[in-house]
Amino acid sequence: MVDLFKKIVFKLYVIGLMCFTVWYGFFMFPLIFGFEGKEEARASLEAMRGGDTEEEQMYTRLLTEQTKKKTTDLGYKKIQQPYIDGRFHHIGFNIQKDEFSTCVRCHGNVPHDESKEIRSFLNMHTFYLACETCHSQPAKGDKQWKFSWYDKTTGQKVSNPQALLDIEKSYTSDDEKWQYPIFGNYGAKITPTMTKNNEQRLLHGKKEMDFVVRYLNDQKNLESAQKSQMKKVIHRKVSKQPVECKTCHKRGKTKYIPFETLGYPPMRIDELTDLAVVGMIQKYKKFYLPNFLNPGGVNK
Amino acid sequence: MSKYDPIVYKDGKRYFYRFSAHQRIQHVVLFTSVLALALTGFPLRHAEEPWAKPLYDFMGGTEVAPMIHRIAGSVLLALFVYHTIYWMVKFYQNHIMKLKRENRVTFMNIVREFFSQEMVPNKKDVVDFIHLWKYLLYFTNRPPRHDRMSWREKFDYFAPYWGIPILGPAGFILWWRDEFSHLLPGIVFNAAYIMHTDEALLAVLFLFFVHWYNVHYAPEKFPAAKVWLTGYLSEDEMIHEHYSHYVKVMIEAGLEEEIKPQHFGGRHYGW
Amino acid sequence: MNTTEQSVQIVSVSHSAEGVSETRTARHLNWIQFILFAVILMVPFDKSNASNGEELNCLICHKHRGLSRIDEQGKFRLFYINQELFESGPHRRNNCKDCHNDIDRIPHKPAKKVDCTQQCHIIEPSGKRKFSHKFIAETLAKSVHGKLDKDGKPKPHQEDFPVCKDCHDQPFYRPIAIYKGEAEHGISQRSITRCKACHKTGNFAKDFYEHVTTRLHKTRFSKEIVNVCAKCHGDSEFRKRHELDDVIKSYKETFHGKLVFLGSERTADCIDCHVVEGENNHLIEAKTVPTSAIHEANLGNTCRASDCHKKASPQLAGFQTHVTYDRKKYPLQFYMLIFFKALMAIILYFFLTMIFLELLRRLFPDFSFMKDNAPHHIVKPEADKDKP
């Protein structure tokens, strides 16, 4: 019995060693004959890059750029940051991806394009406001929504972000540590919830996400008309008129989004609801960009 | 050689003499310097691979690692010279002196003595080599019977013997490039560079597989052979690798009756 | 709007500490807009140590990482300014408007591309004149990277020739400390304390320290320099268009390249060999130009530059750096390479095959086409012994 076991171990070891020998043969090949494997990979990538249309080329470029990183070595510290072709200023860090939002899944993180003057401002908000916050409103007769922070990856309710308090420190403290607060990267979004059957729930929770995923998987089997139907259903909660800037950015107590309960420190609230933002919005609306407060870009 | 008994007994087992302490120390110096050279050289050769920088930093980074490389290289080159002198003295003592005593010093006799040295390839190696291939291709069930040094050991031995004369001077030229530039044209550095890097690759690939197979990976050796430490080889290993020599030593020791049969494959090992 | 051109002076809240004139001119403003500006500038947002970029309170919006859009060409445009990184380099003494001088209000329409050769508010101390990168652009135009050939005709493939931004992003200071002994990275607190003893105001001491010590060594890590050159020279399509060898690959095969990629700062990168010692780094010239660092006549001196192979003879320059192993261009290297590759392949694959077969043989120790019937347990030493 022991002999048999020894024999099996011996044979297995020998077979393992044979595999190792073969692996070594493959391992040596590029070492001896240059890095062929990689060159082929590069050549094929370049062949892809030389794709037919401008659109194809752009798509390939996007795919490679996605992971592009840039390292700057200052000797005493290394700065690693995302890299965008042709950008002069530094970016510093990557913002956390939203993997939970059903809207972002198709529309992406930079969806606003229509109102030329303010599209960048609107896109800026997508990093810390859920789409529903502005693009859905409670139906008539429904209770007002409750807002809380929801994690971007898990979709779970989380406590108010610490980063907001750090922002406050940057105003009050002279400590260098708080000199450069980071705005907008909270790992969570302000998301509205509605009360249904005495239960607090998200407008687009896991159930809706599963529905969208199912639709995305099945859509090639659907008729054109069915596709339109599905789209209508998915977008049912989207209101025609988005919430206006001044709904939140205005002075006084009655606010759509309760900044205090969401953890915004007093000085930051002042900024958002006082001259800095509100002033800019209002004055410029009058003198410079009449469409500034008018998402949709229509000159009234 | 008289210092060492051809056969010693320990725990009732026979052990056969292979290497003197002097030789074993030379081997230790050889492998430590070669390992140091490989560890400081290969991250440089493959500088762009992800493992290169951590390893190079571990070996001291761009300031210290080249220093280690140069010291180890100098040690290896010195060992090469030392070993060549050692070998020549041995040859003189054991072979030329014998001829002198017997008063037979002629050119042909010296050549003959030269080829009778245990490390020098000879006709039996060709015979064993052919026999091995017969065995490997199932044309015989008997493995070759090697003498004191098998052709594989001789190949292992002469690999550094051709490697160092290529690697060493090339490395030396690259080290003292500024000084050598007064003597040699610049293109020599290109040649030295290729010689150094490619021969090093050959040496390391050979070492890490073929030599390590012989002394580490092979089932009867795993995890490591002990002969480089003790200088003596066990009876099993002796029978497996040097059957011809084994029989000779046993007969010389008057143990003809106790000679064991030759092994087949790996069956007779501790597995 | 151009008809109502009117100059209004606005006092900036910049912390620039050189005693430089702090006034700036904003054009195209009518009086209402002026009041508006004043209002915005007075918001209680500025801290006492307010930084640049706040003279128009640009950061009120541009501090947001998400400020971005997709432009008409489908390009992702990010307008975020990382204040911490911006203030880690020499441009921190500039206001946004110094470069983006077409912006005079917020919010603003898409800004024009920045012209690096324009004058900015910084006064160049030695000449007491407004600072500009114009000289660099002129040097670049004379170099192999200039868009015009020596007859003033545009070179083919104009779009391939670099502008400032192709090689430079926002520069960083890279200070070193040499208070006692070897140079180290970072700021020597002991040294800077000595500056601060007299130059107390603002950030002057720190700016000056970083400005000077950054230039005592390479302002960019060699690996980054190589990557900058590789942006174009590493692209095979680009090389085909301009009939160039893959110099990046061949550089990486040299000890210079290898050491650079292992983190050495003491070895030569592209610029060290391609710029004549004492020349402006932007003056990289072709091999055929007599003043070029790599012209046959100058190559010896390039290698023997003061920080490199000082003791070498000019013969060292006979070393071929950018070897492509092309049979016609580099026959020696080609044949040596083939020799060693063949040698390696033969030896290693021979032994590999042998070991593989030997292992296989161990699995079938008894199998054989022919049995050796000779008694094998005792062999007379004479029978097998080789007699030379």
Side-chain angles (χ1 to χ4, degrees):
Chain A
M1 188 63 199
V2 176
D3 269 357
L4 181 73
F5 178 70
K6 274 185 179 173
K7 210 170 166 182
I8 290 170
V9 171
F10 173 78
K11 299 229 160 168
L12 284 178
Y13 180 79
V14 170
I15 290 167
L17 212 52
M18 282 162 74
C19 297
F20 177 61
T21 312
V22 173
W23 173 81
Y24 200 79
F26 282 108
F27 163 77
M28 278 190 325
F29 191 83
L31 283 173
I32 297 175
F33 297 105
F35 290 94
E36 259 91 354
K38 281 181 191 166
E39 271 162 12
E40 268 169 32
R42 202 191 324 158
S44 56
L45 196 72
E46 274 160 9
M48 276 167 69
R49 209 181 281 165
D52 297 335
T53 62
E54 205 176 303
E55 282 77 14
E56 276 176 41
Q57 284 179 22
M58 193 181 98
Y59 187 62
T60 333
R61 205 175 56 237
L62 279 180
L63 286 178
T64 52
E65 268 175 17
Q66 202 175 30
T67 48
K68 258 194 192 173
K69 277 212 163 77
K70 185 174 66 178
T71 311
T72 316
D73 191 345
L74 301 185
Y76 58 98
K77 68 170 173 183
K78 267 190 187 171
I79 297 164
Q80 263 213 330
Q81 49 176 323
Y83 174 75
I84 299 173
D85 227 11
R87 191 176 154 81
F88 184 71
H89 290 284
H90 298 292
I91 304 167
F93 64 95
N94 241 339
I95 210 150
Q96 200 180 345
K97 272 188 195 165
D98 188 335
E99 284 158 18
F100 186 73
S101 167
T102 41
C103 313
V104 171
R105 211 186 148 89
C106 294
H107 293 276
N109 246 345
V110 195
H112 300 98
D113 198 40
E114 240 174 88
S115 331
K116 294 255 180 294
E117 289 86 358
I118 54 167
R119 54 190 169 180
S120 301
F121 288 102
L122 298 176
N123 285 329
M124 167 179 113
H125 286 81
T126 62
F127 287 87
Y128 43 85
L129 296 186
C131 308
E132 300 91 331
T133 307
C134 304
H135 290 283
S136 299
Q137 273 157 10
K140 269 178 193 165
D142 274 8
K143 269 190 193 169
Q144 270 300 318
W145 285 340
K146 276 189 178 172
F147 290 93
S148 349
W149 290 96
Y150 277 80
D151 194 283
K152 281 187 186 180
T153 44
T154 62
Q156 294 301 308
K157 193 174 170 180
V158 287
S159 53
N160 298 334
Q162 176 65 31
L164 285 170
L165 299 176
D166 294 346
I167 289 171
E168 179 82 348
K169 278 184 199 141
S170 76
Y171 298 149
T172 52
S173 167
D174 279 337
D175 194 339
E176 269 186 35
K177 196 178 155 195
W178 309 112
Q179 202 181 342
Y180 302 110
I182 288 171
F183 292 85
N185 191 24
Y186 307 128
K189 283 181 174 182
I190 296 175
T191 313
T193 56
M194 56 183 179
T195 325
K196 209 173 187 181
N197 307 333
N198 286 331
E199 194 194 344
Q200 203 76 19
R201 68 178 301 269
L202 289 169
L203 270 66
H204 293 107
K206 198 181 170 305
K207 225 167 122 188
E208 285 78 5
M209 183 63 152
D210 291 344
F211 184 72
V212 169
V213 171
R214 218 181 112 194
Y215 163 68
L216 290 173
N217 289 337
D218 293 344
Q219 60 173 336
K220 60 175 180 291
N221 303 326
L222 293 176
E223 293 287 322
S224 304
Q226 288 176 314
K227 272 189 199 174
S228 308
Q229 277 177 292
M230 285 295 288
K231 279 196 158 172
K232 182 83 186 168
V233 173
I234 289 168
H235 291 96
R236 199 163 45 185
K237 282 176 186 148
V238 179
S239 56
K240 268 204 186 110
Q241 198 62 31
V243 174
E244 289 196 330
C245 309
K246 64 178 183 219
T247 314
C248 305
H249 294 290
K250 71 171 179 191
R251 270 169 278 191
K253 276 282 165 196
T254 47
K255 288 156 208 152
Y256 183 62
I257 298 174
F259 291 122
E260 292 92 348
T261 47
L262 289 171
Y264 280 84
M267 286 183 89
R268 182 74 184 136
I269 295 176
D270 280 353
E271 246 175 70
L272 295 172
T273 59
D274 213 326
L275 277 179
V277 176
V278 179
M280 179 176 80
I281 291 170
Q282 294 198 333
K283 303 279 154 101
Y284 272 91
K285 186 194 173 193
K286 280 182 197 157
F287 303 120
Y288 181 43
L289 297 167
N291 290 337
F292 189 57
L293 275 188
N294 195 5
V298 187
N299 200 347
K300 279 179 191 171
Chain B
M1 246 196 237
S2 55
K3 276 202 298 189
Y4 298 94
D5 296 323
I7 303 174
V8 296
Y9 290 89
K10 203 182 169 203
D11 302 332
K13 281 181 183 164
R14 279 195 199 94
Y15 289 89
F16 293 80
Y17 169 70
R18 296 288 293 163
F19 304 118
S20 70
H22 190 181
Q23 290 164 336
R24 276 175 276 152
I25 290 169
Q26 288 186 45
H27 174 244
V28 171
V29 174
L30 174 74
F31 80 68
T32 33
S33 57
V34 167
L35 281 180
L37 285 165
L39 286 173
T40 48
F42 271 76
L44 194 61
R45 194 183 192 279
H46 300 284
E48 276 202 274
E49 300 293 303
W51 50 266
K53 194 164 160 39
L55 179 58
Y56 210 61
D57 288 346
F58 177 75
M59 295 307 294
T62 53
E63 298 293 313
V64 180
M67 218 66 111
I68 295 174
H69 194 83
R70 285 160 190 173
I71 291 167
S74 306
V75 169
L76 189 61
L77 215 52
L79 180 75
F80 177 79
V81 173
Y82 176 80
H83 185 81
T84 308
I85 294 168
Y86 164 80
W87 167 86
M88 279 154 77
V89 168
K90 280 252 159 189
F91 182 63
Y92 185 78
Q93 281 176 346
N94 296 344
H95 297 269
I96 307 287
M97 290 286 268
K98 193 177 84 183
L99 287 179
K100 271 188 179 168
R101 271 199 305 275
E102 294 168 3
N103 221 353
R104 302 194 287 125
V105 187
T106 63
F107 178 73
M108 275 320 285
N109 275 342
I110 291 177
V111 170
R112 216 165 279 154
E113 284 298 323
F114 181 84
F115 280 100
S116 74
Q117 292 181 100
E118 60 185 27
M119 285 320 296
V120 179
N122 55 32
K123 215 162 66 190
K124 174 149 171 52
D125 293 324
V126 181
V127 173
D128 283 348
F129 181 79
I130 293 165
H131 192 118
L132 176 74
W133 280 92
K134 268 165 79 181
Y135 177 68
L136 291 181
L137 299 172
Y138 305 90
F139 284 106
T140 173
N141 56 339
R142 182 175 67 83
R145 292 159 179 169
H146 295 296
D147 208 345
R148 184 165 151 77
M149 291 294 165
S150 66
W151 68 268
R152 287 162 84 160
E153 285 166 317
K154 289 178 189 178
F155 195 93
D156 259 12
Y157 175 79
F158 279 101
Y161 235 90
W162 97 52
I164 295 172
I166 294 176
L167 279 165
F172 205 70
I173 288 174
L174 292 170
W175 177 5
W176 300 101
R177 55 204 174 275
D178 290 7
E179 286 72 9
F180 272 108
S181 69
H182 293 276
L183 306 170
L184 303 167
I187 190 86
V188 170
F189 301 103
N190 284 92
Y193 169 75
I194 296 175
M195 274 160 72
H196 199 78
T197 53
D198 282 5
E199 179 60 33
L201 180 66
L202 172 58
V204 165
L205 285 177
F206 185 83
L207 189 68
F208 284 3
F209 194 79
V210 182
H211 182 64
W212 281 13
Y213 171 79
N214 291 342
V215 299
H216 287 290
Y217 311 142
E220 68 273 14
K221 302 284 185 190
F222 190 81
K226 291 174 204 73
V227 65
W228 68 277
L229 279 170
T230 60
Y232 279 83
L233 204 61
S234 71
E235 191 168 2
D236 269 349
E237 286 171 297
M238 195 69 181
I239 291 168
H240 185 64
E241 291 164 26
H242 306 282
Y243 194 69
S244 197
H245 183 61
Y246 165 74
V247 171
K248 199 173 101 187
V249 173
M250 291 294 274
I251 289 171
E252 274 171 13
L255 298 166
E256 196 167 351
E257 297 308 308
E258 290 178 44
I259 292 174
K260 291 179 184 172
Q262 197 178 4
H263 292 150
F264 291 82
R267 274 191 304 181
H268 296 267
Y269 289 97
W271 292 89
Chain C
M1 261 205 242
N2 286 339
T3 49
T4 59
E5 198 164 292
Q6 180 185 2
S7 290
V8 181
Q9 297 210 311
I10 296 170
V11 177
S12 153
V13 288
S14 152
H15 77 309
S16 188
E18 271 193 290
V20 175
S21 163
E22 296 266 298
T23 54
R24 233 151 326 298
T25 306
R27 290 160 191 276
H28 318 307
L29 289 177
N30 58 39
W31 66 274
I32 295 174
Q33 282 167 327
F34 172 58
I35 292 172
L36 185 64
F37 254 119
V39 168
I40 285 162
L41 289 171
M42 279 185 287
V43 293
F45 181 63
D46 293 323
K47 282 191 296 176
S48 53
N49 61 344
S51 307
N52 281 312
E54 294 188 5
E55 85 277 22
L56 277 178
N57 240 332
C58 302
L59 284 176
I60 200 173
C61 304
H62 289 277
K63 71 190 170 191
H64 282 274
R65 174 65 173 78
L67 195 69
S68 55
R69 65 179 170 87
I70 311 291
D71 74 6
E72 274 63 35
Q73 283 78 42
K75 221 180 146 195
F76 176 64
R77 304 284 308 273
L78 179 64
F79 304 112
Y80 167 66
I81 296 297
N82 187 314
Q83 196 188 355
E84 184 179 4
L85 295 181
F86 179 80
E87 290 182 7
S88 304
H91 286 166
R92 69 172 170 221
R93 285 159 65 211
N94 289 83
N95 296 316
C96 305
K97 243 177 76 67
D98 283 343
C99 301
H100 300 279
N101 58 2
D102 57 322
I103 292 169
D104 51 11
R105 66 197 74 195
I106 47 172
H108 56 84
K109 289 190 168 161
K112 282 189 206 136
K113 279 195 173 170
V114 170
D115 173 13
C116 301
T117 61
Q118 74 198 9
Q119 290 184 333
C120 64
H121 86 284
I122 303 237
I123 302 290
E124 193 278 300
S126 68
K128 306 276 183 229
R129 266 186 296 178
K130 282 192 171 181
F131 190 81
S132 157
H133 293 302
K134 201 171 178 184
F135 168 70
I136 303 289
E138 284 165 3
T139 313
L140 187 75
K142 278 188 281 179
S143 79
V144 72
H145 293 130
K147 284 180 193 283
L148 306 176
D149 63 14
K150 57 179 186 288
D151 305 324
K153 284 183 201 137
K155 294 176 187 168
H157 305 292
Q158 282 285 296
E159 69 286 356
D160 282 343
F161 287 89
V163 295
C164 310
K165 241 173 66 168
D166 289 323
C167 306
H168 295 273
D169 53 7
Q170 183 75 258
F172 284 116
Y173 278 133
R174 216 165 159 249
I176 49 170
I178 332 170
Y179 190 75
K180 281 190 171 183
E182 296 258 313
E184 282 171 22
H185 288 287
I187 294 172
S188 159
Q189 284 308 323
R190 282 178 160 143
S191 303
I192 204 168
T193 311
R194 297 204 300 186
C195 312
K196 280 178 179 166
C198 303
H199 307 285
K200 289 189 171 62
T201 322
N203 269 342
F204 177 79
K206 191 162 178 274
D207 284 343
F208 208 85
Y209 180 94
E210 294 196 287
H211 179 92
V212 172
T213 62
T214 295
R215 281 146 181 96
L216 293 179
H217 67 144
K218 300 219 63 144
T219 46
R220 270 193 282 181
F221 188 50
S222 296
K223 195 170 155 183
E224 287 155 35
I225 301 273
V226 178
N227 286 341
V228 162
C229 300
K231 267 170 105 176
C232 298
H233 290 272
D235 177 4
S236 63
E237 291 297 314
F238 168 88
R239 288 199 304 271
K240 233 180 268 171
R241 282 199 293 277
H242 295 270
E243 293 168 17
L244 297 168
D245 280 343
D246 191 347
V247 287
I248 303 294
K249 194 178 166 199
S250 50
Y251 170 74
K252 285 177 181 174
E253 280 221 356
T254 64
F255 279 115
H256 291 152
K258 288 173 190 297
L259 277 168
V260 159
F261 275 81
L262 289 172
S264 174
E265 299 210 50
R266 289 182 48 189
T267 186
D269 57 41
C270 312
I271 288 175
D272 292 316
C273 300
H274 285 274
V275 176
V276 177
E277 194 184 5
E279 252 306 339
N280 186 305
N281 275 353
H282 296 84
L283 194 66
I284 293 168
E285 290 177 305
K287 208 174 182 172
T288 46
V289 178
T291 52
S292 158
I294 54 163
H295 186 268
E296 223 171 309
N298 310 330
L299 204 53
N301 287 335
T302 302
C303 299
R304 295 193 297 158
S306 57
D307 296 306
C308 305
H309 300 277
K310 268 183 276 189
K311 283 182 269 173
S313 107
Q315 279 194 95
L316 186 67
F319 176 76
Q320 292 166 337
T321 314
H322 295 292
V323 177
T324 54
Y325 296 98
D326 183 287
R327 190 166 62 89
K328 286 191 184 119
K329 273 190 191 165
Y330 300 97
L332 173 83
Q333 284 92 335
F334 175 78
Y335 286 111
M336 279 187 80
L337 196 78
I338 297 300
F339 169 75
F340 275 106
K341 280 189 187 305
L343 187 72
M344 260 191 276
I346 291 167
I347 291 175
L348 290 165
Y349 282 105
F350 167 75
F351 273 96
L352 221 63
T353 316
M354 196 185 80
I355 287 170
F356 185 82
L357 288 174
E358 195 180 284
L359 286 163
L360 195 66
R361 195 72 176 85
R362 282 169 197 264
L363 294 178
F364 313 102
D366 293 326
F367 178 75
S368 177
F369 298 120
M370 286 182 244
K371 294 275 186 213
D372 190 346
N373 292 322
H376 49 252
H377 57 286
I378 294 182
V379 180
K380 295 277 179 239
E382 289 79 15
D384 244 9
K385 200 187 167 193
D386 176 57
K387 276 183 184 163

